[in-house]
Amino acid sequence: MNIAIIFAGGTGQRMGNKDIPKQFLKVRNKEIIIHTLDVFERSGDIDKIICVCLESWVDYLSQAIANNNITKVVKVIPGGINPQQSQYFGLLEASKYSNSKNDVVLIHDGVRPLIDEKLICDNIDMVKSKGSAITYSQAIETVVEIREDDNKIINILDRKKCVMAKAPQSFLLKNILDAHTKAIQDSRLDFIDSASMMHYYGYPLHLVLGDTTNIKVTTPIDYKMLKAIYED
């Protein structure tokens, strides 16, 4: 079984919109999160979808899912106190539907709607053959390492050796749940994403190339770019 966990838990502080979280902003009269869910709904490789949402917006998202005839969503659940805990809650929910130790879970941002079915398929194939799949795109600008206390540049990295980790990030469900359990036992609640956690606990990570248009809507300029792409 292949289960997608889609996160719609951000408050959108960097978007500067106090009334509507960024995942519920509309493009072509449809919420960004619904555009994202549409892709997973159409994919023949996805069996079930679980959404993790801001608690105060669970009913809104559930209604939007029904209004758009998205049938693969089996549960919309409230998130936790931070992204890591929200992911853990989503994985626990996914485990209720799991029927094999080889079940695959794809962890994806609700505000990253420009994913395509090929990338979903490539992620699943990589997990089945190697155990993990981290979507990436090539770094296209100079990447520098800085010293945190004064922002002084201490190293300029070779761009050819740098990539940008994106989503989905996909794993065998049993492995990512094991990493979360270890993180809880170690009181580590500060991992920025699944790849960071899995790397920390010694799981090998394998890359899957994604399209550069697979942007995450975080700031107003991202939203403008997304609308421009949809309207092109």
Side-chain angles (χ1 to χ4, degrees):
M1 182 178 294
N2 304 316
I3 304 173
I5 301 179
I6 311 299
F7 291 91
T11 58
Q13 293 181 354
R14 283 174 287 181
M15 184 63 71
N17 191 325
K18 297 180 180 179
D19 299 322
I20 303 176
K22 58 189 177 181
Q23 56 270 29
F24 298 110
L25 295 174
K26 291 187 176 183
V27 178
R28 286 190 171 181
N29 296 316
K30 187 182 293 187
E31 294 86 350
I32 293 173
I33 178 67
I34 297 299
H35 283 289
T36 303
L37 289 171
D38 276 340
V39 182
F40 286 88
E41 174 77 10
R42 292 193 304 267
S43 173
D45 294 302
I46 295 298
D47 299 298
K48 299 183 186 299
I49 304 170
I50 291 164
C51 292
V52 183
C53 182
L54 287 169
E55 185 171 8
S56 57
W57 286 80
V58 166
D59 290 342
Y60 180 97
L61 178 55
S62 298
Q63 187 61 56
I65 288 169
N67 292 345
N68 287 275
N69 299 312
I70 298 173
T71 62
K72 290 184 181 179
V73 175
V74 294
K75 196 74 173 180
V76 179
I77 64 171
I81 60 173
N82 58 28
Q84 185 175 322
Q85 189 179 68
S86 295
Q87 184 183 117
Y88 181 59
F89 288 170
L91 291 166
L92 288 179
E93 190 66 32
S95 69
K96 297 177 183 178
Y97 300 91
S98 175
N99 53 25
S100 168
K101 64 179 182 180
N102 295 317
D103 284 343
V104 175
V105 61
L106 296 85
I107 299 169
H108 193 67
D109 306 307
V111 288
R112 204 185 286 270
L114 296 174
I115 185 175
D116 56 35
E117 293 185 53
K118 180 181 183 303
L119 184 55
I120 291 173
C121 180
D122 289 348
N123 265 255
I124 293 170
D125 287 346
M126 182 63 78
V127 174
K128 288 182 176 179
S129 64
K130 300 289 187 179
S132 66
I134 306 300
T135 302
Y136 79 98
S137 64
Q138 293 288 347
I140 58 175
E141 298 189 46
T142 300
V143 181
V144 300
E145 182 182 359
I146 63 171
R147 191 165 58 200
E148 289 187 60
D149 57 353
D150 60 1
N151 283 342
K152 182 178 179 180
I153 293 175
I154 57 176
N155 192 19
I156 298 177
L157 305 179
D158 183 351
R159 188 167 63 191
K160 294 178 181 179
K161 297 180 180 179
C162 296
V163 300
M164 310 298 290
K166 296 193 172 186
Q169 297 183 357
S170 307
F171 312 93
L172 292 174
L173 176 57
K174 63 179 181 179
N175 289 347
I176 184 67
L177 267 174
D178 179 64
H180 270 273
T181 300
K182 291 176 180 176
I184 292 170
Q185 293 171 346
D186 295 342
S187 299
R188 283 294 309 269
L189 302 175
D190 57 347
F191 290 106
I192 60 172
D193 64 0
S194 304
S196 302
M197 178 186 294
M198 296 297 274
H199 176 72
Y200 181 83
Y201 287 110
Y203 287 93
L205 303 179
H206 302 276
L207 294 172
V208 172
L209 180 63
D211 195 287
T212 55
T213 61
N214 182 23
I215 62 173
K216 182 179 179 182
V217 179
T218 303
T219 67
I221 189 63
D222 298 325
Y223 184 43
K224 291 177 181 178
M225 289 173 60
L226 182 66
K227 290 195 291 185
I229 291 170
Y230 272 103
E231 293 166 3
D232 186 6

